[in-house]
Amino acid sequence: MAAQDDSWSHVGFSAKVALAFSGTFIALGLFAIGPALPVLQDHFSQVPNADLLVQFVGGIVPPVFALASPFAGRLVTRLGVRTVYLASLALFLLAGLGPMICSSLIQILPFRVLMGLGVAGAFTAGMSGIARLPESQRHILYGLAAFIGGGISIVAFPMVGALAAQSWQLGFLACLLLLPIGFFALALPRHKGTRQASEKAVPRVAPRLGGVPPSLLLLAAIVGWTMVGSTLYAPFLLASVGIIDPSAVGNMLAITSTFSLVGSGSYGLVQKLAGTRGVVLVSPVLCAAGGVIVFLASSSFLAMVGLSLISVGLSLFGSAAYAAAVETVGPEGDSGAATGMMSFAIYLPQALFPMLATAIGTRFGPASVYLMLAVLLTAGFALVASRRHARPAVAMGAA
């Protein structure tokens, strides 16, 4: 990261709005298209390998986002938060609207790849911008970004479903929800080309990992698996306790998802009481406890309790993980690289989870997957807890 810049100590309301909406890029870019995929599959049902291609349309964005995030971090360091944020928003809108003019699934795929790049740039720039705010404001914005990112899903999923019911093309209009954010992003501080951090400023631990400790990245990867387990794999768990109707499954997942707002909404207070490291350690404990409850659940109610507890832990970790990464590299470190590496660790390993969950769930039952996650989360907690406390961060400079 660059030397400190006072412009980030006096960021106005409009710029903070743009930063607070950073999490919405993940919600809209990675997951919101889900309700439109069945309609898309029906429309192209006569196309060879249509089922597989539709899965690629829906699933290709997260791994592209994860792979591109470290490179997005480098761009933020070189070009600044404002430039990367605005350029990525433009790419996000282009990628979101592009499929509407396509006439085949193959034509849609490149736009979905561009979507992953746009999300990586915008999210990384936004989180890096938050890292440059004074500490008194930083954690409030981390929690607010997670809260708004989760809250917009409540609007986006029904919106996409209703639009896709009229036409599959219309389902891609949801990206326009973020068009007004560009006007707020114009207020972000301009890049001043300050000097780059010296080589000595980069922590000697894992310099190739953006300065983030491997133990924290490993825990982040396990939490990333837990994200998938609490959403995409949850219907299999609910089916095992007698909840099969798709509408009932959707309603139950919507209820458990609202508990993520509890975690993100309370992050600022919890962080103030326990510190960033404390939240990082509490989060996997909550998720592990939820996993054990799910494993032992003999009714849908208990399963819901466990999944809800997992949602609280996940939302707390989502804010604390990025804050911890930035605090680890310190005020002279590269917050963009640290942020990008954290996204890489959380989201890329998710691609492996379905294979492992299917193998374990088929052999021992869906509930056993949550016991596996609880064991892994406990191990990740123990590994991070055994490491030295990251040095506290002070007000971050701009890059």
Side-chain angles (χ1 to χ4, degrees), residues 96-337:
L97 297 175
M100 297 181 65
I101 63 173
C102 296
S103 58
S104 71
L105 293 170
I106 294 295
Q107 293 175 356
I108 294 175
L109 283 175
F111 286 105
R112 298 298 289 166
V113 172
L114 291 178
M115 175 62 76
L117 299 177
V119 173
F123 179 75
T124 303
M127 297 299 281
S128 298
I130 293 175
R132 289 158 171 77
L133 296 175
E135 187 171 9
S136 60
Q137 304 173 25
R138 189 185 317 140
H139 293 290
I140 295 175
L141 265 293
Y142 274 133
L144 192 58
F147 185 87
I148 297 175
I152 201 170
S153 299
I154 300 175
V155 176
F157 283 125
M159 176 183 176
V160 171
L163 290 172
Q166 302 300 316
S167 167
W168 68 264
Q169 289 97 334
L170 296 179
F172 289 92
L173 285 174
C175 67
L176 290 177
L177 288 172
L178 294 186
L179 178 60
I181 301 304
F183 297 100
F184 293 98
L186 291 172
L188 289 167
R190 294 180 179 274
H191 182 50
K192 295 188 176 181
T194 49
R195 67 176 178 82
Q196 299 297 314
S198 65
E199 183 177 343
K200 292 183 180 179
V202 179
R204 290 295 87 197
V205 56
R208 294 183 180 275
L209 301 178
V212 184
S215 58
L216 180 58
L217 294 176
L218 179 59
L219 177 59
I222 298 171
V223 172
W225 276 10
T226 309
M227 288 181 183
V228 182
S230 66
T231 53
L232 298 181
Y233 192 76
F236 297 98
L237 180 279
L238 294 175
S240 70
V241 293
I243 308 300
I244 301 176
D245 179 68
S247 297
V249 171
N251 291 335
M252 288 191 170
L253 292 181
I255 293 173
T256 60
S257 295
T258 59
F259 280 85
S260 66
L261 302 182
V262 175
S264 57
S266 62
Y267 169 75
L269 176 61
V270 177
Q271 192 280 333
K272 196 171 185 178
L273 294 174
T276 303
R277 178 179 171 82
V279 183
V280 168
L281 294 176
V282 166
S283 303
V285 171
L286 292 175
C287 291
V292 172
I293 292 174
V294 170
F295 174 70
L296 298 175
S298 58
S299 66
S300 59
F301 174 76
L302 287 177
M304 291 273 290
V305 170
L307 290 173
S308 298
L309 190 56
I310 290 174
S311 291
V312 175
L314 289 175
S315 57
L316 284 172
F317 186 86
S319 299
Y322 288 98
V326 169
E327 290 180 9
T328 299
V329 301
E332 294 298 325
D334 190 337
S335 66

